[in-house]
Amino acid sequence: MKGEGEEGGCAFSDEDETSNHGRHSVTEHNQGKNKGRVLTVSAISSWWRLIKEEHKEAAFVCLLNAYRAACHYGAESIGLRFQNAETFCNLVMSVLSEADNIFRGLLGLSSSSYKKEAILELKDTPQWVNVKPLIKSYLRSTLSLLDQVTDTEILAFALTRLGASLPFFAAFPHLLQRLIKTTIHLWATGGGILSSVSYSLVRDVASLFTTDCFDNCLAKAFVAYLAQSRATEIVNNKHLQFLRNSLVDLCSLDVQKSLSKATNSVRQLAKILQWGLRTKKKEALQRICCWEYVNCIDLWVGFIEGNIRDYDLQAFFFTMVQLINGVVCLFPGLRYFPLRLNCIQWLNDLSNSTGVFIPIASFVLDVLEYNIVGEGGKPRPALFFQSILKVPKNCLKSQTFQDECITSAIKQLSSHFLQWSYHISFPELATVPLIRLKKFFESKKKESLRRVVKHLIEQVEKNVDSVQKKRDEVAFSPNDHQSVEAFLQFEKSSFSSPFSQYYRSVLEKAAPRGLHKNEKISFPRQDKWKRKREQV
C-alpha cells in the first residue's frame, strides 16, 4: 500500500498503521503529519476501488482515518482539509453506506444477522481481535458526527446506518450509552423524519439489549419528554403528541417495568395534588396547572389505553381516575376551563378504552352552565384550548371564549353519550343531563347557540326512545349480565345509529378548530375489555 500514489495510498492514515496482529488499525494520535494535506473526491474513489476490487484492508483503514477526521471536523484541530463540501459529503455518506457490510464480511457474518449474541460469540476469535479497533473507530466517529452535524438528512441517514450496525454495540457498552443519550436527544428536539428515525433506533436498542438497557432508554426518554413539556405555551402540539405516542409505544415493550415507572410517577403527581387540595397555595396550583404535569397525566392515560386489554392494570386505572377527578375539583374556575376540558377528555378516553362507566356528564354540564358572559360579549381572536391551560383575563368576557367552551363541552358530552348510546341503561343515564341541557337551552337567547344545544337534545331523546323501544321487547332480567352485555351489540358494531352519525358531524365541525387532541375521528372500541395478568 505504501507504494501507491498519494491519492491511492494511505496518505491520511495514522502513523501507527499496523497492530500487533499484523493488520492495519486506526489510532487517534500523530495526526500532525497530515497538516496542510487536502483530501479529494478522486482519493476517496481510489480507496473504494482498492477495497472492492482488490480487497485491500489498508485502503479501508485510510478511509476510516479520513472518516474520523470528517466526523471531528471543527471539533478538533487535526490539520486535515477537505477540497470542498462535496468531498466531505462523499466521504461521510459512502463510509456510512458501506462500512457495516465490510465489517460483516471481515467477520464472516451474514448481512441479515441482527443478534448481539453473534457478536459476543466472536469476541475471543482472532478475526474479532483484528477488526475490533476498526469497528470501534467507526462507531465512535459516527457518534461524534451526530454531535457535530446539523443537516437533518445526514443525521437521519447516520442514525439509520447505526441501526444496521446496532449488534456491534454489544461489545462496547460505553459507546452504547453514548448512543442512547444522543439518539434520545435527537428524538426529543428534532422533529419530522429525524425524530421518527431516532425513535426507531431507540426502540431497537431497548428491544435488542438487556433489561437494564430498556430501563435506561425509558428513564432518559421520560426525562426528555417532560423537558419538552416545560413551556408556558405549546407551540408544536403535533411534535409533542408524537413524543407522547412513541413513549407509550416504548413503555409497551415491557409493561411490567413500565408500570413500576408509571406508578412512581403518578405517586409524585398525587403528592403535588394533595398539597394543592390541602393548602390551595399559588405555588402548588402552578405546579399542577402546567404542561409538565398535564403531559405526564396524558402519557399515562395513553399507556393505560394501549395496554389495559392485555395486562392487569385495574389498580393503576382507578388511581388515574381519582387523580384526574382531583384536578377537576381543584380548578373549578372560569380561567381553568381548558385544563378542565382536558381532564374530561382523559376520563372519556379511559372509559372508552376500558368499558368502565365514569360519570363525566356533571363535569361537562358545569362548563356549559357557567355564566360566562352576556349575549353581547366582545369578539376576540380565536382561542385554541389544545394549546393553553389557563385563559388570559382579557379573553374571559369574549364571545369567542364562550363559543369555544360550548363547542368543546358539547363534543365531550357527545363522546360520553356515544359510548353508552347502545347500552341498555342509556335512558336512565341520560335523564339528568337532559333536564340540565333543556334548562340551559331555555336560558340562552343567542339563536346559533340555541340551535346547537337543541340539536344535541333532540339526538339524545331520539336515542333514548330507540333504546327504550328495544328494551321493552326483551324478556331477560337485569340480573342476566350476559344478555345485558349482548344488548344491541350488532347495532354497535356497525355504528349505524343516528347518534353515531350525529357524533361524526360534531367531530368534523370541531376538527378545523383544532379541538380534537388526536386530530382524528375516534369512536368507542368495539371489542370487550379483556383482562390478562402479565407473566413475570
Side-chain angles (χ1 to χ4, degrees), residues 187 195-196 199 238-247:
W187 163 73
S195 285
S196 180
Y199 173 67
K238 185 177 181 180
H239 176 62
L240 201 58
Q241 194 65 27
F242 167 78
L243 297 183
R244 178 258 198 188
N245 292 341
S246 53
L247 189 49

Side-chain angles (χ1 to χ4, degrees), residues 487-503:
F487 181 75
L488 295 182
Q489 284 302 304
F490 176 78
E491 291 81 356
K492 183 177 181 179
S493 65
S494 62
F495 288 114
S496 57
S497 72
F499 197 87
S500 296
Q501 302 305 315
Y502 164 75
Y503 180 65

Side-chain angles (χ1 to χ4, degrees), residues 18 32 34 39 64 120 273 330 334 368 376 384 420 434 438 441 460 474 478 502:
T18 55
N34 294 326
L39 182 63
L64 290 180
L120 297 176
L273 178 62
L330 183 59
L334 192 63
L368 273 179
F384 299 101
W420 302 102
L434 276 175
K438 289 177 180 178
F441 170 76
V460 174
V474 303
Y502 164 75

Side-chain angles (χ1 to χ4, degrees), residues 248-317:
V248 167
D249 180 68
L250 183 65
C251 290
S252 300
L253 294 179
D254 191 330
V255 173
Q256 197 62 40
K257 278 185 170 291
S258 299
L259 179 59
S260 177
K261 176 73 174 178
T263 302
N264 290 333
S265 172
V266 171
R267 188 177 294 120
Q268 294 302 315
L269 297 179
K271 287 181 179 178
I272 297 172
L273 178 62
Q274 290 168 0
W275 176 34
L277 289 168
R278 185 176 65 254
T279 66
K280 301 295 194 297
K281 286 186 176 180
K282 182 179 180 180
E283 181 184 356
L285 299 182
Q286 287 176 340
R287 287 192 62 183
I288 299 170
C289 186
C290 70
W291 285 112
E292 184 177 356
Y293 194 97
V294 165
N295 285 326
C296 197
I297 295 178
D298 191 43
L299 170 67
W300 302 128
V301 169
F303 173 67
I304 292 172
E305 286 184 275
N307 294 287
I308 197 164
R309 282 172 176 74
D310 299 314
Y311 299 92
D312 183 7
L313 303 178
Q314 291 182 67
F316 186 60
F317 160 73

Side-chain angles (χ1 to χ4, degrees), residues 427-444:
E428 287 77 19
L429 180 150
T431 299
V432 174
L434 276 175
I435 293 172
R436 294 178 65 177
L437 279 171
K438 289 177 180 178
K439 186 176 180 181
F440 174 77
F441 170 76
E442 293 170 357
S443 68
K444 297 300 173 185

Side-chain angles (χ1 to χ4, degrees), residues 208-402:
L208 186 64
F209 294 98
T210 64
T211 56
D212 289 341
C213 191
F214 172 82
D215 291 341
N216 191 15
C217 289
L218 180 58
K220 282 184 167 56
F222 181 65
V223 170
Y225 171 71
L226 293 185
Q228 292 300 305
S229 301
R230 294 187 188 117
T232 55
E233 183 176 351
I234 297 299
V235 177
N236 191 345
N237 189 63
K238 185 177 181 180
H239 176 62
L240 201 58
Q241 194 65 27
F242 167 78
L243 297 183
R244 178 258 198 188
N245 292 341
S246 53
L247 189 49
V248 167
D249 180 68
L250 183 65
C251 290
S252 300
L253 294 179
D254 191 330
V255 173
Q256 197 62 40
K257 278 185 170 291
S258 299
L259 179 59
S260 177
K261 176 73 174 178
T263 302
N264 290 333
S265 172
V266 171
R267 188 177 294 120
Q268 294 302 315
L269 297 179
K271 287 181 179 178
I272 297 172
L273 178 62
Q274 290 168 0
W275 176 34
L277 289 168
R278 185 176 65 254
T279 66
K280 301 295 194 297
K281 286 186 176 180
K282 182 179 180 180
E283 181 184 356
L285 299 182
Q286 287 176 340
R287 287 192 62 183
I288 299 170
C289 186
C290 70
W291 285 112
E292 184 177 356
Y293 194 97
V294 165
N295 285 326
C296 197
I297 295 178
D298 191 43
L299 170 67
W300 302 128
V301 169
F303 173 67
I304 292 172
E305 286 184 275
N307 294 287
I308 197 164
R309 282 172 176 74
D310 299 314
Y311 299 92
D312 183 7
L313 303 178
Q314 291 182 67
F316 186 60
F317 160 73
F318 287 115
T319 299
M320 285 298 297
V321 172
Q322 288 179 322
L323 178 72
I324 296 168
N325 278 330
V327 175
V328 173
C329 295
L330 183 59
F331 295 98
L334 192 63
R335 294 190 67 187
Y336 297 100
F337 275 5
L339 174 60
R340 190 180 182 90
L341 287 163
N342 260 308
C343 292
I344 293 168
Q345 176 159 337
W346 290 327
L347 294 175
N348 260 332
D349 291 342
L350 289 172
S351 180
N352 179 30
S353 63
T354 62
V356 175
F357 177 76
I358 302 176
I360 62 98
S362 179
F363 293 152
V364 184
L365 291 166
D366 287 345
V367 173
L368 273 179
E369 294 168 350
Y370 206 103
N371 187 18
I372 298 174
V373 67
E375 299 295 327
K378 298 179 181 179
R380 292 279 183 178
L383 287 170
F384 299 101
F385 279 6
Q386 83 280 10
S387 61
I388 60 173
L389 297 175
K390 190 177 179 181
V391 179
K393 286 184 178 180
N394 62 345
C395 295
L396 290 178
K397 295 184 178 180
S398 68
Q399 189 64 49
T400 304
F401 174 55
Q402 179 174 350

